[in-house]
Amino acid sequence: MDAVHGWLKEHELRGSDVRDISEDYALLAVQGPNALGKLGLQPARAFTWEMGELDGVEVMINRTGYTGEEGVELACMSDDAEVLWDAILARRVTPAGLGARDTLRLEVCYPLHGNDIGPQWDAISSGLGWACALDTGFTGAERLREIKERGPEQKLVPFRMTEKAIPRQGMGIEGGGEVTSGSLSPMLEVGIGMGYVPGASAKAGTELVIDVRGRARRAEVSKKPLYKKES
Amino acid sequence: MAASESYPDDLQYHPEHDWARIEGDEAILGVTWYAQDALGELVHFEPPDAGSTVAMGASYGEVESVKAVSDLISPLSGEVLEVNQKVVDAPETVNEDPYGDGWLIRIRLTNPDEREQLLDVAAYKAVLAES
């Protein structure tokens, strides 16, 4: 948040007023196959939002969930957060922490800022080229075009363990690379993760060797997503 | 199904939440109910090799839940005779039965006098009361 605020502040337009009001808001995510039904909401397009109300609390209903499941993120004023929490739980929703959420987003290979993406990596290496209109002149576009043309030195790839082990953030990958996210997939029941590997090792099927606290354990570069829900 | 809290009388305990069941010059080692409860459902057991040696107070392996990794501290010194393959294949066995099917390794004691330094159940419960 500091990075985003800093950037906007630095590029503040004359007459505009950039302030960080994050502390004034709270965000509760309700995710899962029955999320909409329990909240009495209709389906809507992803990445849209609307205003709504839950037990008297005014909420911004965001279709910006990050779990690979159906659901919404409800934003309200911080002062209303307790009431909103109770209102959600009263609809027979089970609380889950970030550890649980992390397994979901990792199974569908959504990169997490601070783990898999961040200022130390460029968007092309991080696999976010799809979100960059390189033919336009946004800040950094020229540099990204260069990286794309030349091919990134390192690439973010998903992988699954082919030996018994759970990869964790920060573990080294033989040949130069690092695990940026790792966990045990509850659906696949094997260790899964994402990490940066040399461009030449980024192809699906490539064998990786991960340093699991001193033990060399094999993994294989996979295609995205690591797990696809059967519909 | 997770086991309910218990600390059997016939075991010797190490304050790092490990237990030993001593039988002659051998011992079976495992982790206590408290340890498995703190970790949550176990999803991985990294055992030592059979034939390797373990030292009192030192790590002999690891157990992992989805969120955390924990060293296994050996309550006694010895040579590893057997690893519980059932726990390697199904680590949640430790949560279901930490003192029975969820045992971890069997060792031959190399320094049986070390048992004098272990805690009985009352002393271990006192450790838990302070934590």
Side-chain angles (χ1 to χ4, degrees), chain A residues 111 116-117 125-127 154-158 180 194-197 224:
Chain A
D116 313 301
I117 53 179
S125 305
S126 301
Q154 288 206 320
K155 267 183 164 169
L156 180 66
V157 296
T180 51
M194 284 200 273
Y196 285 87
V197 298
K224 297 180 195 178

Side-chain angles (χ1 to χ4, degrees), chain A residues 29-41 69-72 91 93:
Chain A
V30 185
Q31 306 277 324
N34 303 317
L36 297 185
K38 286 192 175 182
L39 294 175
L41 294 170
E69 268 289 1
E70 195 166 70
V72 290
R91 286 162 173 79
V93 169

Side-chain angles (χ1 to χ4, degrees), chain A residues 195-207:
Chain A
Y196 285 87
V197 298
S201 304
K203 227 178 135 209
T206 308
E207 183 176 276

Side-chain angles (χ1 to χ4, degrees), chain B residues 16-89:
Chain B
E16 291 288 337
H17 311 293
D18 305 86
W19 57 259
R21 178 176 284 120
I22 302 169
E23 289 165 354
D25 66 344
E26 292 182 9
I28 288 171
L29 310 183
V31 297
T32 65
W33 184 92
Y34 177 89
Q36 65 77 34
D37 186 59
L39 280 160
E41 186 188 340
L42 296 186
V43 293
H44 185 69
F45 169 37
E46 188 70 41
D49 293 328
S52 64
T53 56
V54 300
M56 183 185 199
S59 168
Y60 68 86
E62 293 169 346
V63 282
E64 288 191 71
S65 62
V66 168
K67 280 198 280 192
V69 187
S70 180
D71 273 322
L72 294 162
I73 302 301
S74 186
L76 295 161
S77 302
E79 180 196 346
V80 180
L81 298 174
E82 189 185 354
V83 165
N84 186 356
Q85 192 59 36
K86 184 168 183 181
V87 171
V88 173
D89 295 336

Side-chain angles (χ1 to χ4, degrees), chain A residues 20-147:
Chain A
D20 182 2
I21 53 166
S22 310
E23 294 293 317
D24 298 345
Y25 289 89
L27 188 71
L28 294 171
V30 185
Q31 306 277 324
N34 303 317
L36 297 185
K38 286 192 175 182
L39 294 175
L41 294 170
Q42 296 301 314
R45 281 185 57 201
F47 303 110
T48 59
W49 64 273
E50 64 196 303
M51 293 307 295
E53 179 261 311
L54 204 70
D55 289 4
V57 178
E58 191 180 32
V59 289
M60 183 180 186
I61 304 161
N62 300 285
R63 313 282 177 152
T64 49
Y66 213 64
T67 58
E69 268 289 1
E70 195 166 70
V72 290
E73 289 173 314
L74 303 176
C76 68
M77 302 310 291
S78 301
D79 293 345
D80 293 334
E82 264 185 74
V83 180
L84 180 60
W85 174 265
D86 291 339
I88 292 170
L89 290 200
R91 286 162 173 79
R92 298 197 299 126
V93 169
T94 307
L98 284 178
R101 196 281 312 257
D102 206 42
T103 65
L104 294 173
R105 66 99 193 160
L106 197 51
E107 284 175 338
V108 289
C109 304
Y110 289 169
L112 184 64
H113 197 274
N115 280 42
D116 313 301
I117 53 179
Q120 66 270 51
W121 295 294
D122 66 88
I124 301 297
S125 305
S126 301
L128 299 175
W130 60 272
C132 303
L134 289 179
D135 52 346
T136 63
F138 65 86
T139 311
E142 195 179 334
R143 180 85 183 97
L144 288 179
R145 277 197 296 270
E146 275 171 35
I147 295 169

